Amino acid sequence: MQPIAYQPGNSALHRTHPLVKAGWMVSVSVLLFLFRQWAAPLPVVALSLLLLRLSGLRLRGRRGARLLLLTSVGLAFTQLLFQDQGSVLARLGPLTLTDTGLRDAVYVGGRFAAVVLLSFLFVLSTDPNDLAYALMRAGLPYRLGFAGITALRLVPMFEQEAETVYQAQLARGIALDRRGPRRWLDWVRRLLMPVLSSALTKVDMLAVSMEGRGFGRMPHRTFLRTVPFTARDAAALVVLALVTVGGVALALQQ
Amino acid sequence: MPTVNLPAAQIATDGVCATTGRHDTLVEVIGLTYTFDGTTRPALLDVSLRIGAGDFLVITGPSGCGKSTLALAIGGFLFQQYAGTTTGSITVSGKDARTAPVFEISDTVGLVQQDPEGQFCTLTVRDELAFGLENRCLPRAEIADRISWALDIVQAPHLMDRELKQLSGGEKQKVAIASVMAMRPKVLILDEPTSNLDPQATADIFEVIETIREATEMAVVVIEHKLGYLAPYGPDVIGMRDGSLTGDADDAPVPTRRFPHGVRADWSTPRQPPKERVVVTQDLSVDLGDRPVLNGVCFSAGPGEFIALMGDNGSGKTTLLRALLGLQRPNSGSVTVLGQDTAHTPVSKLARQIGFVFQNPNHQLFADTVWEEATMALGFRDAQHDLATCRVHDLLDRAGLAGRDDDHPYRLSYGEKRRLNLISVLCARPRLLLLDEILIGQDPDNVDLLLDLLETAAAGGTTIVMVNHDPEITPRFATRLVFLAAGRVIIDVPVAKGAAALRDRGLAAYLPAGTRGRLAESTRRPKPRHAADSVPAR
């Protein structure tokens, strides 16, 4: 199982400016919550799935993807089974299926699925490094930006270290691969010290490396990397503005 | 810059200061003593040193002698990031390094630390090279110019568009050096730049250092154990011990221990190849993620064999070791250890008869005291047994850890931790011992102590498989050489035939310096017992 993470590619979605993509994701998600029409999430879900397919992004076999999609189905079922307002379509013992229940199921389940799919689209098609640089160029203080980049670097490193320490413990005959209630307690206790000590060493080293290269010396810094903002990005941004304004206006009229 | 007369009995008469008459002094250290808070022994003791433009200086000495601390002091980090007391003075380009901000010192001094991976601040080669220049707010065009210059100097222009995590160890080191070079410091300090590299990558890095020396006026300071490689370039060599500079390398520590079983002079095989098999792999293939790492490995070993497992970084050595203990399950093929198939046996059960020592000593210290750590593998029954505890006492004693029973393992030095790691697996008398580059970063004294313990274990019938990068070690101890390339065994011969096999395959970098051929002829030096002996005097 691989985590849900950036999948390199060269589709139109991949090439879109990270902040434009983020804008679309946030704006459409918010609009879905403002709109009360029961069928509103359906076109968003359909378009998101189409876009995933067109951009060559894969959800199959990704850790957590199934869980999130199943949650939306679960939410839909809850509405279906426990909403007893509206005209009754069918009865099943103590449970009633109503037309309101059906609409609520589509609305609540679909809205969750739409928001999840939108964020998948964003995460799978955006290099987090590009996002960090784009944010810094857009005015995010560079210390915060590099805190994010450092996390991107260190988290997998610590995961690997923890794995190594775990293996080192197995190799010493500490029976962590057997099941039992004390297993987790043991594991955490013996894992913490080695990983912590190595983390502190790494942080020391990184501090020397960053300061030695002038990090934090100036209030601002320059950037070699450009995150290109194309005419297409500009157009996407204009459309986004129109959709957002129009959407909000419509929602207020409801 | 005022001229300072260094006190007598210092290094002023040879090496370092001899060249400074011609140059501006960039770094001047006078009588520097530094003690970390919470310790009583000074990490630096009355150190005096002068570095001028164009100097080429090598500092060598045992692990924990203060080499890295000296590097941190020259870079100004020691006084800003650590707590301790200082006496004496240290001046960098006329600024007092004890009080000046690190930024200002870093205009003069660039420090490349030991572990390239740990000092990366970004995710791609281009970003990494640009990092320091961006922090100085240089315009984009100049940044672009400087980073291609720096990557050219380290002979790696092809790496520009790569991600850092995809690079090999040698490539990472080149990028780490280039990213400091791009800042154009006047003094470049390299702290054990090759400690994690295979012999070929090591030779590449030393060539890079020579290119830097030829192409720039930079003073280069290298902290290094592998003096054999650097000797042809004619550096000034200073030894260091217990925080003090000891003049030249001849005064550097010479191993004091001798091996009980005698050191073999060359690639000869003393033992008969045994018939019983302790470990057998058949057509073993292992993938890590999508990447095939081992590719149809057939390998077996019998009791008392001491196998040197060699190969370039990334050739699959560590993965093979892990597979032998079942830490890595085969994708196809099989591993049978002590008659048990690793695919169906829990690792913790196999581990009762197999010892595994990992690369990083800190990854395998789990107990609160040295004694507890050493006896952990014995189990409760044996730990009560007089004979077993007696054996552990004996091992600790031989490893120079007697009387440290109640100390916390994290308070030990790097070399002591390494010895404790080995003892903690040896005390259970394993039948198979798997060792992953345990000699990295160890000074000759420590190497001797570790090999001494291993020799005894092998003589007692333990099978040893040791991943090893150091060409000098293999012929001294191994009975057999196994060489991996791209996940396949390409050489598997008794060590007596190892030299010929390596030479036939164009792997001369893996031969001891004295038998390497061209290089040996050009330097005309005897095979060093201790590499420092072979550095020519200037």
Side-chain angles (χ1 to χ4, degrees):
Chain A
M1 275 277 185
Q2 290 178 14
I4 296 171
Y6 174 57
Q7 296 171 6
N10 198 31
S11 68
L13 189 66
H14 280 95
R15 281 177 284 130
T16 305
H17 193 281
L19 297 185
V20 173
K21 277 188 278 190
W24 270 94
M25 177 185 70
V26 172
S27 175
V28 174
S29 302
V30 170
L31 283 177
L32 278 175
F33 279 85
L34 292 179
F35 266 100
R36 292 270 160 201
Q37 270 78 15
W38 67 274
L42 291 183
V44 179
V45 169
L47 279 174
S48 302
L49 286 173
L50 185 68
L51 206 50
L52 270 175
R53 168 61 61 94
L54 289 178
S55 310
L57 301 171
R58 294 168 310 278
L59 275 184
R60 191 174 300 243
R62 302 289 141 163
R63 204 187 297 153
R66 187 179 298 175
L67 179 71
L68 286 170
L69 293 176
L70 280 179
T71 307
S72 64
V73 175
L75 282 172
F77 262 100
T78 321
Q79 296 297 324
L80 213 54
L81 297 178
F82 299 108
Q83 174 63 273
D84 49 9
Q85 309 279 306
S87 50
V88 176
L89 299 176
R91 277 184 200 284
L92 208 115
L95 302 170
T96 51
L97 181 64
T98 67
D99 59 346
T100 315
L102 197 61
R103 284 193 204 115
D104 282 0
V106 172
Y107 180 66
V108 174
R111 193 175 59 183
F112 185 82
V115 171
V116 166
L117 283 172
L118 283 171
S119 37
F120 281 174
L121 273 177
F122 177 70
V123 170
L124 294 177
S125 72
T126 309
D127 182 347
N129 197 36
D130 282 343
L131 176 66
Y133 275 91
L135 283 170
M136 286 190 281
R137 304 215 65 166
L140 179 80
Y142 72 83
R143 284 182 180 81
L144 286 181
F146 275 98
I149 289 174
T150 306
L152 285 176
R153 250 173 35 73
L154 291 186
V155 168
M157 210 188 268
F158 288 147
E159 266 180 9
Q160 209 179 357
E161 297 241 323
E163 173 71 24
T164 307
V165 173
Y166 171 71
Q167 293 196 340
Q169 294 173 6
L170 287 184
R172 286 281 286 282
I174 303 169
L176 293 169
D177 49 355
R178 265 188 240 145
R179 302 194 179 280
R182 287 188 53 205
R183 177 181 169 239
W184 281 101
L185 206 67
D186 253 16
W187 190 69
V188 170
R189 191 172 66 86
R190 295 184 197 272
L191 190 77
L192 210 58
M193 191 65 183
V195 175
L196 202 65
S197 97
S198 130
L200 290 177
T201 314
K202 288 227 154 64
V203 167
D204 260 358
M205 191 176 254
L206 194 61
V208 165
S209 173
M210 293 179 100
E211 280 211 40
R213 289 190 279 160
F215 187 79
R217 179 184 206 164
M218 312 268 195
H220 298 286
R221 74 200 291 279
T222 49
F223 290 95
L224 175 66
R225 175 193 279 259
T226 52
V227 185
F229 188 84
T230 60
R232 232 165 30 88
D233 289 320
L237 208 55
V238 171
V239 176
L240 171 64
L242 293 175
V243 167
T244 309
V245 172
V248 170
L250 271 176
L252 289 177
Q253 280 182 2
Q254 281 181 103
Chain B
M1 175 64 55
T3 312
V4 177
N5 295 319
L6 294 173
Q10 283 186 357
I11 48 162
T13 51
D14 62 59
V16 197
C17 293
T19 56
T20 51
R22 289 177 279 124
H23 305 293
D24 289 343
T25 299
L26 296 168
V27 176
E28 191 153 52
V29 184
I30 302 172
L32 183 70
T33 296
Y34 184 89
T35 311
F36 285 105
D37 281 357
T39 62
T40 48
R41 200 173 60 87
L44 297 175
L45 183 60
D46 196 23
V47 171
S48 294
L49 177 71
R50 205 188 286 161
I51 302 169
D55 282 353
F56 184 18
L57 186 63
V58 173
I59 301 177
T60 189
S63 337
C65 72
K67 304 184 298 289
S68 296
T69 310
L70 180 57
L72 287 173
I74 296 172
F77 302 106
L78 187 62
F79 314 103
Q80 311 289 333
Q81 298 196 347
Y82 300 85
T85 46
T86 315
T87 57
S89 76
I90 174 164
T91 319
V92 175
S93 284
K95 296 187 179 98
D96 185 348
R98 292 171 306 171
T99 52
V102 169
F103 311 135
E104 289 182 15
I105 302 299
S106 74
D107 288 338
T108 303
V109 179
L111 171 62
V112 182
Q113 300 171 87
Q114 211 165 355
D115 165 25
E117 182 118 42
Q119 57 197 304
F120 288 147
C121 310
T122 66
L123 301 165
T124 71
V125 172
R126 193 185 296 272
D127 288 335
E128 188 61 28
L129 295 170
F131 181 78
L133 305 173
E134 293 173 334
N135 289 332
R136 286 188 182 170
C137 291
L138 293 187
R140 286 187 54 214
E142 189 177 348
I143 295 178
D145 278 354
R146 281 220 208 173
I147 68 176
S148 15
W149 169 81
L151 217 45
D152 279 346
I153 288 253
V154 300
Q155 298 154 20
H158 55 285
L159 298 180
M160 185 66 96
D161 294 310
R162 301 271 295 278
E163 279 186 52
L164 291 170
K165 66 176 176 199
Q166 297 168 340
L167 304 183
S168 71
E171 289 170 338
K172 280 180 184 156
Q173 192 57 269
K174 285 183 177 184
V175 171
I177 294 174
S179 62
V180 172
M181 289 287 296
M183 311 278 293
R184 306 236 170 113
K186 299 191 179 83
V187 180
L188 178 69
I189 305 179
L190 304 164
D191 189 355
E192 300 200 26
T194 65
S195 59
N196 291 305
L197 302 184
D198 61 55
Q200 189 53 55
T202 299
D204 285 354
I205 292 296
F206 286 126
E207 230 181 278
V208 163
I209 294 172
E210 180 58 11
T211 313
I212 293 172
R213 299 250 318 124
E214 280 168 5
T216 71
E217 265 289 277
M218 264 177 218
V220 178
V221 180
V222 186
I223 294 171
E224 188 57 75
H225 290 305
K226 301 174 190 168
L227 298 188
Y229 285 92
L230 280 165
Y233 305 122
D236 297 309
V237 180
I238 303 183
M240 198 165 178
R241 167 146 251 181
D242 295 333
S244 301
L245 300 185
T246 57
D248 56 40
D250 290 337
D251 297 340
V254 172
T256 49
R257 301 272 301 229
R258 293 291 154 191
F259 308 103
H261 309 288
V263 177
R264 285 196 297 282
D266 211 337
W267 302 70
S268 59
T269 319
R271 297 191 190 99
Q272 288 298 311
K275 293 199 175 70
E276 189 194 336
R277 303 283 81 177
V278 172
V279 53
V280 180
T281 77
Q282 279 182 328
D283 265 333
L284 171 67
S285 294
V286 173
D287 299 349
L288 293 181
D290 304 332
R291 198 167 59 92
V293 179
L294 293 180
N295 216 330
V297 171
C298 292
F299 165 84
S300 67
E305 280 199 272
F306 195 147
I307 297 168
L309 185 57
M310 299 183 96
D312 290 347
N313 291 121
S315 58
K317 304 181 297 292
T318 297
T319 307
L320 177 56
L321 276 198
R322 290 185 175 201
L324 295 186
L325 182 53
L327 290 171
Q328 204 73 57
R329 295 291 150 103
N331 287 64
S332 65
S334 70
V335 181
T336 313
V337 190
L338 302 166
Q340 300 178 86
D341 186 337
T342 58
H344 308 298
T345 319
V347 173
S348 55
K349 186 175 169 206
L350 288 172
R352 284 179 213 152
Q353 295 186 76
I354 304 175
F356 195 122
V357 181
F358 288 69
Q359 259 185 45
N360 182 340
N362 288 333
H363 283 158
Q364 44 205 322
L365 295 173
F366 306 123
D368 295 331
T369 66
V370 168
W371 178 255
E372 228 181 284
E373 186 67 39
T375 54
M376 191 181 256
L378 286 178
F380 289 111
R381 194 169 45 82
D382 281 347
Q384 305 302 322
H385 203 280
D386 286 347
L387 209 64
T389 51
C390 202
R391 195 170 68 238
V392 178
H393 272 304
D394 181 48
L395 283 169
L396 287 171
D397 192 24
R398 280 176 60 193
L401 292 169
R404 307 290 297 271
D405 287 3
D406 296 328
D407 282 355
H408 197 283
Y410 277 84
R411 291 199 70 94
L412 301 181
S413 74
Y414 186 75
E416 289 167 341
K417 282 178 186 171
R418 191 83 280 185
R419 283 177 251 153
L420 179 58
N421 290 153
L422 189 56
I423 289 171
S424 65
V425 298
L426 280 179
C427 71
R429 286 199 283 200
R431 294 186 54 198
L432 173 62
L433 200 48
L434 306 168
L435 309 168
D436 196 358
E437 306 199 30
I438 64 165
L439 303 180
I440 279 183
Q442 302 292 320
D443 60 69
D445 277 348
N446 272 324
V447 168
D448 287 358
L449 276 170
L450 292 168
L451 289 177
D452 179 4
L453 293 169
L454 292 176
E455 271 278 273
T456 313
T462 300
T463 307
I464 301 179
V465 184
M466 178 158 87
V467 174
N468 173 40
H469 271 333
D470 190 339
E472 314 283 340
I473 301 293
T474 299
R476 271 169 50 190
F477 286 93
T479 57
R480 205 171 117 198
L481 169 70
V482 174
F483 197 98
L484 282 184
R488 294 172 190 278
V489 175
I490 61 164
I491 296 175
D492 184 354
V493 292
V495 95
K497 296 179 181 162
L502 287 167
R503 213 173 277 120
D504 285 351
R505 296 204 169 244
L507 296 164
Y510 284 87
L511 293 170
T515 59
R516 216 171 278 153
R518 196 178 54 81
L519 184 62
E521 281 160 28
S522 68
T523 53
R524 294 226 169 267
R525 61 212 166 83
K527 186 184 157 198
R529 173 65 192 84
H530 172 232
D533 301 344
S534 65
V535 175
R538 277 187 112 189

